[in-house]
Amino acid sequence: MDNAAAPAYKANLAATLCMGCMAPATGAPFCPACGWQKGAGAGSVLHLPPGTLLHDCYLVGRVLGQGGFGITYMGWDTQLQRKVAIKEYFPQVIASRLPGGSTVAPTGARVQSDFEHGLEGFMNEGRILARFADHPCIVSVLNLFEGNRTGYLVMGYLDGVTLSQSLTAAGGKLAYDTAREIMIRVLDGLREVHGQGLLHRDISPDNIYLTRQGPVKILDFGAARMAVGERSQSLSVVLKEGYAPEEQYRRNGNQGPWTDIYATAATFYRAIAGVTPPPALDRLADDRLVRPSAYCPNLPGESETAILKGMAIRAASRYQSVEQFQHDLMGRIIADPPFPPGPGDGKPPESGGSADRKTKPRWIAIGIGGACVALLLVGWMARSLLYSHYETAGEASYRSGDYEMAKSYFEKAADGGNAASEMNLGRLYARGEGATADYGQARQWYEKAAAAGNSEAMDNLGFLYDNGLGVSQDYAQALKWYREAAAAGNADAMVRLGILYHDGSGVAQDYDQTRQWYEKAAARGSTRGMTNLGLMYEGGLGVSRDYGHARQLYEKAAAAGSPAGMTLLGVLYDNGHGVTKDVDQARHWYEKAAAAGDPRSMTYLGDIYGTGRGVTRDFAQQRAWYDKAAGTVIPRAVDANMNERYIASGRASAMLIVGDIYRSGQNSTPDYEQARLWYEKAAADGNAEAMARIGQMYLLGQGIDRNYEQARQWYEKSAAGGSSDAMNDLGVLYFNGEAVTQSYERARQWYEKSAAVGNATAMKNLGQMYDLGNGVAVDKAQSIQWYEKAANAGNTDSMVIVAERILQDSDVSHVAPLEKLELLQKLEQARQWIEKAADAGNLKAKVLLPTVNAIIQGVQSHQ
């Protein structure tokens, strides 16, 4: 029957809520949360008006979507006070809504029976979905009821988009790894459905929902669609061309799991190729299906084989179970199990049978003659389904933050040899989630999963050996595992191999190898591979410097959502490398990256406001960005997330700057205690410069008692982390014998290490040692070489010394006419060094500059 009048408080509820998002109404003409116009009516005469109350407890809002057989509305459960989705049975080909009302009715007596049959199927769909309420990949049904002479399903509200909408937003297609992860989850849901002897019959991008909470959901089980299709003369209302296999075009076509497998494979094809496959009937006449690798060059060969097998025109040539398809896509190729026997030769028949057979699908029938073998097969499948269910449940628990429950499910799945769950257990132990952090346990689980072919576990084993986590650092073992993972197509492992060759860790430094591995990773959609490759072209490492190519790679990474790609684009615009220098564009990219959580861009934004580049100088904004960067939360990703160290490095850089602000007393008096606290935080993130700063504070007694021993310890930590300042300062300690036995030899060694990585002060100190003969024979030639290196590296004291040496070696008292030009050239060189040092603020250079100018004028005027 139609809806009865609602109680007054419920009828007035619509005025208190936004019908676009069910947020509390603000009284504004447009909702600030979603932009819905207050008082807006239905977008079509076919839709229920917003504010309609159904079943005395469900308030109808805006339309979320409409298909051939139903309309889905945003809803509000007035009893439980929560958002829901309400699906109304509305087969628009054979039904309409009566003018001025809510009642749905068939368009004529001829289709009355079809309408009623479809309604029965629609309600049955709700009952089917209710069976899978606990499955993370299937939308949950909370209630079903009839009203307005039609039917309604009340479902949990999902915040997200359909795969179809996601494809549109992504420019038409997705990266292979992203699409594969989505389709694996769809197959998880189908595995459960098929295990109940049921079919979906309408897998397509429109019926796959990507929730913001993480899970992938299967929508619209098509029971009403099938029910109408069995009765209707118009098959067009029950098919989606490109996704429906040929047996769905025939009324008596034998349908089974292979039917859903075709649609799933076709959906996968659409996601990575960017085009819808040709209709199955067209393929029957002339199969012109283009291989998906033509559109997706980084598609692994085994995956392409799996997709094409899933889309085989004839049912007998397809996978006969979801398990087979899923295992092949996951890289575990196993032989096809025997096809469940039909009435003839054991192959899927090409035509249908009696109504009795429809009651019990032939695809689950078991021949008496093969009962023993079939029972073993069914038992194996049941166990496989159970362990896969545990894996899926574990992943759902992990996403919700229930690590202990996730661990429990993964352990159950791992007992059955589920490699993905073994890998996930290793990750839990590595991160200390749901269990005490234990790299030894992590390694054992990774090894089990790796033995079963899990490439992520191989990559994670390499990471443990690469970083010495729970094992002795062993680059040979790291290389071994990274290579195995890369051979299995793991892009993270390819990037890490590139990094080893870049750094020369365990292998000879080889930029060509570095580039090749980054290129392989980038080809598989790795944004880290793209940005690292871009950095090689930007820096000219093993390739000709090419800012344009670097920019293209950064843009591609940024388009894929990489905060690092956005930041690097900002740096190009900030410095004018390969593009017109544009601080506004730089700030645009920094802001995008900062919104995505990148602390480096936050720090760069702080720099912009601190210096007033393209904006009004604003120390409050500067400090706000530095504080935000310093407070960035690092993901717990010690074994899997390539961005963990990048984020930690960016956060530590911000902490270092905040410490510098307190230490220098910018806009106030210095606060050494606060400075040291920030330096210690940065040092905890591994920032070597922060360690050097702490050493300096102990050396100078800033805010703490002077302590040379503490200074030495901090300098040694910092030097081990690569700080050239710390290396130089250690040289100073040994030169002066502070907290260590005085040793010019050790001082020289530390100065040389520091100078080797570009430290100008260390170069100057080496020049002084050779100049004065401190622990070495006096060597004026060596001395001036080091002074010149230091001057060229920016040390102003060395610039002055080099200029003074030129003046000392120039006899201006007796200028021979033939020597005058050469002498003036030397004096001009000295003046340039003095001017450069003076411009940089060197006081001695400022005092000396007038004297040099006078000397040059005297020589010029000498006859």
Side-chain angles (χ1 to χ4, degrees), residues 491-499 517-518 521 526 528-529 532 642:
D492 281 350
M494 295 172 189
V495 172
R496 287 171 169 156
L497 280 167
I499 292 172
W517 281 115
Y518 289 161
S526 166
R528 186 73 182 278
N532 282 10
M642 291 293 292

Side-chain angles (χ1 to χ4, degrees), residues 259-271:
T259 303
D260 284 344
I261 287 169
Y262 184 101
T264 305
T267 299
F268 199 171
Y269 182 104
R270 166 67 183 85

Side-chain angles (χ1 to χ4, degrees), residues 298-318:
N298 64 328
L299 177 64
E302 63 271 18
S303 295
E304 181 172 62
T305 300
I307 291 169
L308 292 174
K309 182 173 180 179
M311 292 181 66
I313 299 174
R314 298 292 181 184
S317 300
R318 289 177 224 142

Side-chain angles (χ1 to χ4, degrees), residues 20-344:
C21 63
M22 295 301 167
T26 63
F30 292 91
C31 175
C34 71
W36 177 266
Q37 184 176 2
K38 185 177 182 180
S44 166
V45 294
L46 299 180
H47 301 160
L48 287 171
T52 300
L53 194 68
L54 297 174
H55 207 55
D56 199 36
C57 61
Y58 299 110
L59 192 66
V60 172
R62 68 180 173 89
V63 171
L64 296 174
Q66 180 172 357
F69 285 81
I71 303 171
T72 303
Y73 304 88
M74 167 79 74
W76 181 261
D77 186 330
T78 63
Q79 293 180 332
L80 299 179
Q81 297 287 294
R82 65 174 179 177
K83 284 195 288 189
V84 293
I86 304 170
K87 183 177 179 182
E88 179 185 54
Y89 172 60
F90 195 97
Q92 58 184 11
V93 175
I94 60 173
S96 186
R97 199 178 303 279
L98 297 181
S102 302
T103 303
V104 177
T107 53
R110 183 179 58 83
V111 294
Q112 176 75 37
S113 179
D114 293 348
F115 178 91
E116 292 174 354
H117 194 64
L119 177 58
E120 180 182 351
F122 178 86
M123 301 301 284
N124 189 49
E125 176 183 349
R127 297 183 185 97
I128 290 170
L129 288 173
R131 300 187 198 178
F132 309 109
D134 296 328
H135 197 284
C137 297
I138 301 174
V139 65
S140 58
V141 167
L142 308 176
N143 197 0
L144 69 160
F145 57 90
E146 292 189 19
N148 296 327
R149 298 184 189 176
T150 187
Y152 295 90
L153 303 183
V154 180
M155 300 171 289
Y157 176 76
L158 303 175
D159 186 16
V161 295
T162 64
L163 176 56
S164 180
Q165 292 168 324
S166 179
L167 288 169
T168 300
K173 61 182 180 178
L174 301 177
Y176 163 73
D177 288 340
T178 301
R180 173 182 170 276
E181 176 66 19
I182 292 169
M183 300 315 298
I184 289 295
R185 298 305 152 223
V186 171
L187 290 169
D188 282 341
L190 286 178
R191 206 168 54 213
E192 185 80 6
V193 171
H194 292 177
Q196 297 285 332
L198 303 169
L199 300 175
H200 186 282
R201 296 189 178 97
D202 193 28
I203 295 293
S204 70
D206 290 331
N207 289 332
I208 296 170
Y209 204 82
L210 313 180
T211 70
R212 300 193 196 285
Q213 296 86 353
V216 175
K217 298 278 189 179
I218 302 174
L219 307 176
D220 198 357
F221 272 63
R225 178 181 294 99
M226 197 61 196
V228 173
E230 290 170 350
R231 304 283 294 268
S232 174
Q233 296 301 307
S234 175
L235 280 173
S236 64
V237 300
V238 299
L239 298 175
K240 282 185 182 164
E241 287 199 334
Y243 304 101
E246 62 87 20
E247 63 265 24
Q248 280 191 280
Y249 286 80
R250 294 183 282 114
R251 296 199 186 288
N252 57 359
N254 185 55
Q255 298 184 35
W258 47 87
T259 303
D260 284 344
I261 287 169
Y262 184 101
T264 305
T267 299
F268 199 171
Y269 182 104
R270 166 67 183 85
I272 60 175
V275 296
T276 303
L281 288 186
D282 291 354
R283 295 182 62 203
L284 270 175
D286 182 14
D287 191 7
R288 296 188 179 184
L289 179 71
V290 178
R291 298 181 73 88
S293 58
Y295 302 102
C296 181
N298 64 328
L299 177 64
E302 63 271 18
S303 295
E304 181 172 62
T305 300
I307 291 169
L308 292 174
K309 182 173 180 179
M311 292 181 66
I313 299 174
R314 298 292 181 184
S317 300
R318 289 177 224 142
Y319 293 102
Q320 303 304 308
S321 73
V322 166
E323 291 80 8
Q324 279 291 299
F325 188 22
Q326 195 170 31
H327 276 65
D328 283 13
L329 285 177
M330 295 175 73
R332 297 192 287 268
I333 310 297
I334 55 178
D336 286 343
F339 188 87

